[in-house]
Amino acid sequence: MLQIPNEKLKDFLVGRGTVTAEDFDLAIQEAERQGQALSNILITRNLIALDDFNKLLADYFGVELADLAKRKIDEEILRLLPEELARQKRAIVFSREADGSLNVAMEDPSDLPTIEFLSRYLNAQLRLFLASSEDLNRGFVYYGRKLAYDFKKIIEENIQATLKSRAYGKEEKEAALELPIVSIVDNLLSYAMASRASDIHIEILDEEILVRFRIDGVLHEIVRIPKEVHASITARLKLLSGLKLDEHGKPQDGRFRYKMSGDLMDVRVAVMPTYYGEKVEMRLLSAAQRAPSLDELGFLADHKEIILRNIKKTYGMVLVCGPTGAGKTTTLYALINILNRPEVNIATIEDPIEYDIKYINQTQINPQAGVTFADGLRALLRQDPNIILVGEIRDGETADVAVQAALTGHLVISSLHTNDAPTAVPRLVDMKIPPFLVAAVLNAISSQRLVRKLCQDCKKEYKPDAALVGNIREKFKEIGLDEIKFKAPRILYGPQGCDSCNHSGYKGRLGIFEVIDVTDDVRRAIVKPDFTLDYLKEVIRKQGVMTMFEDGLRKVEGGLTSLEEVLRVLGE
């Protein structure tokens, strides 16, 4: 954590016109209240962009930005500092100077105790650089490459040890505690974390176990394991998750916390019986992750302005739409984090609670105990909330209670499963919400998809040829856009592949969005007796609403993602 006194940082940022004194003071109060770093509050509240903040900090400390994408990382020098220490101290040793001094990228170059420790541990003079989290992750990738090299060898050794010890013939609890089984599970989790995986799938087939990781939204086969150790691995994961070891015929859900080299990960476990045995799916969630800012999610200035204006209203409803896996929950958390202030009472009803947010009253549904979305929402309304987050509106009963809450002085933020933003209106009507109430409560509707981000270390630019421009033009016509307003892109960007992105050409994800500001014109379209979805789309087009394809295209032109990726996630 940066060791800059608040007053000095205030003088520095306010003096440069980056933030106002009033906004800075409010950010300090909120950081103290939530127990977060001041930098996190400044960034998530959209007071300053992360890149701009890092540049200002480098100026403040009088050091260079590490920018490891443009520097050669010497792997031999890197390993002078073991990975566990590097992660713990938030520092990367990336090269050696001719005079023997070591170049060290640090998240906090003012942390004197850490600098002294590193100097003694490495027995060298240090030249310090300011590192962003992204820079540190680039360095950690190199550690991960060694882990990837050793992974299959370690797994194979432990499988053989398991088979020799006949752990698979023992009682489930006893087998789950066998050292080779413990090592297999630990290595799966460690490799998944090093690979930036969001999910681990352990699938039992007729003759073997298939392990796949979902990385940046795409599944990758990692390893195949003999079927004989399946029961022991499943038992180990059940034991960690607090699930019933002797239950094999019903789905079970649990969770546990895993630590690797100082990084904490919450692991959500779902066990499902299948034809050949139990399938295990694990969702990996960083326990230390801060809520992202709207900028980091991928909202550009025009979309961000609509969202921020509408979530600051004291009543009404803001909906985030999209299919499963489109990042809706992350967007909901980002919005709630912006609204988390001392003067408001925020309550949530979720399934499940993915991140614990300080000073927000979070409730998880539990149908067995009678706590459904609708019943939980009714109970929340008796807790005097100002703002309510409903994880998902799934049925007419939940929709009815949410609409009534939005009509009676509460701001309701929720998600809805629809393919695009306009379709949220007929979806609510299908849930038996009268159109006049839909028009009355809606403030804004956002729909989204997640696309993989181009690796910024190796992306390549190219000029689209006439055929490609023609294809984009045809796509415009297909989705009903005005061909007259079509502007052919001059430069596009695509993937290439390097060590930093494991030669995939992509690293991380961001959203592409369609955001509707529910104006009076939109409301009149909703209550029109002969309402049609096509007419609603015509109205929102006239007020300048961009489709997700258009938003994706401008992010392709900005070098954030590729045209192929936008077309892939939109199913074209």
Side-chain angles (χ1 to χ4, degrees):
M1 188 178 293
L2 292 168
Q3 304 296 315
I4 306 174
N6 287 342
E7 285 305 314
K8 287 189 176 181
L9 184 59
K10 178 181 178 179
D11 291 342
F12 188 71
L13 294 180
V14 173
R16 295 200 167 203
T18 307
V19 298
T20 66
E22 182 181 6
D23 283 342
F24 190 92
D25 290 340
L26 289 173
I28 290 176
Q29 293 173 20
E30 197 56 29
E32 292 173 350
R33 188 177 77 92
Q34 294 189 36
Q36 289 195 38
L38 176 59
S39 57
N40 284 352
I41 299 296
L42 291 170
I43 293 164
T44 56
R45 295 293 169 89
N46 298 290
L47 295 173
I48 185 171
L50 179 59
D51 287 346
D52 292 339
F53 186 69
N54 287 330
K55 289 174 185 174
L56 288 169
L57 288 179
D59 288 345
Y60 179 88
F61 289 122
V63 298
E64 291 182 54
L65 276 173
D67 200 4
L68 296 180
K70 298 176 181 176
R71 300 180 191 272
K72 181 175 174 58
I73 295 180
D74 186 324
E75 290 196 46
E76 186 176 340
I77 298 298
L78 177 88
R79 297 187 192 284
L80 292 175
L81 189 65
E83 181 181 7
E84 186 166 355
L85 273 178
R87 289 181 180 272
Q88 180 187 340
K89 301 299 183 181
R90 306 297 293 167
I92 293 288
V93 186
F94 62 89
S95 65
R96 190 193 299 274
E97 294 289 336
D99 62 3
S101 62
L102 296 175
N103 292 322
V104 180
M106 293 183 64
E107 198 168 54
D108 181 6
S110 69
D111 186 352
L112 295 179
T114 295
I115 294 168
E116 184 179 350
F117 169 85
L118 292 175
S119 182
R120 282 191 284 107
Y121 184 90
L122 298 166
N123 192 28
Q125 293 291 319
L126 307 182
R127 183 184 174 205
L128 303 179
F129 294 76
L130 177 69
S132 64
S133 294
E134 184 69 20
D135 264 340
L136 290 178
N137 287 336
R138 286 190 179 96
F140 296 150
V141 162
Y142 284 85
Y143 288 112
R145 280 167 56 184
K146 185 174 187 302
L147 178 60
Y149 178 78
D150 294 338
F151 173 72
K152 289 189 178 181
K153 181 181 177 184
I154 294 169
I155 291 292
E156 180 61 32
E157 288 173 354
N158 282 288
I159 287 171
Q160 295 304 318
T162 302
L163 296 175
K164 286 179 183 177
S165 71
R166 300 210 173 262
Y168 59 91
K170 299 182 179 180
E171 290 292 327
E172 288 179 326
K173 186 170 184 178
E174 187 181 354
L177 296 172
E178 286 278 329
L179 285 178
I181 292 296
V182 172
S183 181
I184 289 172
V185 171
D186 283 350
N187 276 282
L188 279 175
L189 291 166
S190 296
Y191 187 39
M193 289 173 67
S195 303
R196 300 178 295 106
S198 62
D199 299 81
I200 303 173
H201 292 255
I202 301 176
E203 305 166 67
I204 182 166
L205 308 178
D206 55 344
E207 295 180 349
E208 59 192 347
I209 304 168
L210 174 63
V211 178
R212 297 193 289 173
F213 292 171
R214 188 176 295 280
I215 302 170
D216 294 334
V218 178
L219 277 172
H220 300 266
E221 181 176 327
I222 301 301
V223 70
R224 290 177 182 248
I225 298 175
K227 187 175 182 178
E228 289 82 358
V229 298
H230 173 262
S232 300
I233 291 173
T234 304
R236 175 64 184 166
L237 292 168
K238 285 182 176 180
L239 190 66
L240 289 171
S241 311
L243 303 180
K244 295 179 181 178
L245 295 181
D246 57 352
E247 177 59 76
H248 304 289
K250 295 180 181 178
Q252 295 190 75
D253 297 309
R255 64 193 304 157
F256 64 93
R257 180 162 285 187
Y258 180 76
K259 184 176 182 179
M260 184 191 82
S261 302
D263 290 344
L264 282 175
M265 187 71 69
D266 282 328
V267 183
R268 211 171 71 212
V269 180
V271 181
M272 169 70 75
T274 65
Y275 185 76
Y276 291 109
E278 291 176 294
K279 176 186 184 295
V280 182
E281 199 282 339
M282 290 181 279
R283 171 66 55 87
L284 308 182
L285 303 163
S286 174
Q289 182 174 316
R290 63 170 172 83
S293 68
L294 296 184
D295 291 322
E296 290 168 310
L297 289 176
F299 282 93
L300 299 182
D302 50 353
H303 285 165
K304 185 170 70 172
E305 188 276 327
I306 294 171
I307 293 294
L308 290 175
R309 173 161 42 82
N310 281 289
I311 65 172
K312 288 176 182 175
K313 294 178 179 178
T314 56
Y315 64 90
M317 184 181 288
V318 174
L319 292 177
V320 178
C321 304
T324 300
K328 299 186 299 297
T329 301
T330 302
T331 300
L332 292 177
Y333 276 114
L335 299 181
I336 284 296
N337 197 63
I338 293 170
L339 294 167
N340 187 5
R341 304 185 305 276
E343 63 270 21
V344 295
N345 177 20
I346 302 177
T348 78
I349 182 80
E350 306 174 57
D351 180 29
I353 296 172
E354 293 197 5
Y355 294 109
D356 176 27
I357 306 178
K358 202 169 184 180
Y359 296 109
I360 290 179
N361 306 290
Q362 296 173 268
T363 302
Q364 181 165 322
I365 72 164
N366 184 355
Q368 289 78 17
V371 183
T372 63
F373 272 114
D375 292 334
L377 185 50
R378 288 190 187 95
L380 289 184
L381 289 172
R382 295 191 288 272
Q383 296 292 317
D384 186 34
N386 300 102
I387 299 168
I388 301 169
L389 182 148
V390 182
E392 182 187 339
I393 295 177
R394 297 178 178 173
D395 52 61
E397 188 180 9
T398 305
D400 181 60
V401 181
V403 166
Q404 293 302 320
L407 284 169
T408 54
H410 305 88
L411 178 66
V412 177
I413 297 175
S414 186
S415 72
L416 200 63
H417 275 76
T418 64
N419 285 327
D420 57 23
T423 309
V425 172
R427 179 86 174 98
L428 289 173
V429 174
D430 284 345
M431 292 181 179
K432 310 303 181 187
I433 305 299
F436 76 93
L437 288 182
V438 175
V441 299
L442 286 178
N443 293 344
I445 312 168
S446 175
S447 183
Q448 65 185 69
R449 297 288 191 281
L450 289 178
V451 295
R452 290 181 293 172
K453 291 172 63 176
L454 283 171
C455 176
Q456 299 302 298
D457 299 342
C458 67
K459 66 181 181 183
K460 58 181 180 181
E461 67 173 52
Y462 63 94
K463 292 182 178 180
D465 57 26
L468 182 56
V469 170
N471 290 337
I472 297 172
R473 187 189 299 274
E474 283 301 312
K475 174 63 180 172
F476 263 67
K477 290 167 65 177
E478 282 175 26
I479 58 181
L481 302 180
D482 188 350
E483 191 182 356
I484 297 174
K485 296 181 180 178
F486 173 76
K487 293 181 180 178
R490 290 178 295 176
I491 295 292
L492 296 179
Y493 292 83
Q496 182 165 285
C498 66
D499 288 339
S500 181
C501 60
N502 199 24
H503 299 279
S504 69
Y506 297 96
K507 191 172 182 182
R509 290 191 288 176
L510 80 160
I512 56 175
F513 303 92
E514 177 180 27
V515 181
I516 300 174
D517 191 2
V518 182
T519 61
D520 289 340
D521 286 341
V522 174
R523 291 189 174 92
R524 280 190 287 269
I526 293 171
V527 299
K528 205 169 183 285
D530 55 346
F531 168 85
T532 64
L533 186 57
D534 286 340
Y535 179 70
L536 177 60
K537 289 182 178 180
E538 184 182 325
V539 170
I540 66 172
R541 286 301 300 163
K542 285 180 179 176
Q543 73 178 35
V545 173
M546 281 190 174
T547 63
M548 280 183 281
F549 177 72
E550 290 173 284
D551 188 45
L553 189 59
R554 60 180 179 169
K555 285 167 182 170
V556 173
E557 293 182 85
L560 298 175
T561 188
S562 68
L563 181 61
E564 295 83 0
E565 185 67 8
V566 171
L567 294 175
R568 179 185 70 84
V569 301
L570 292 178
E572 301 298 335

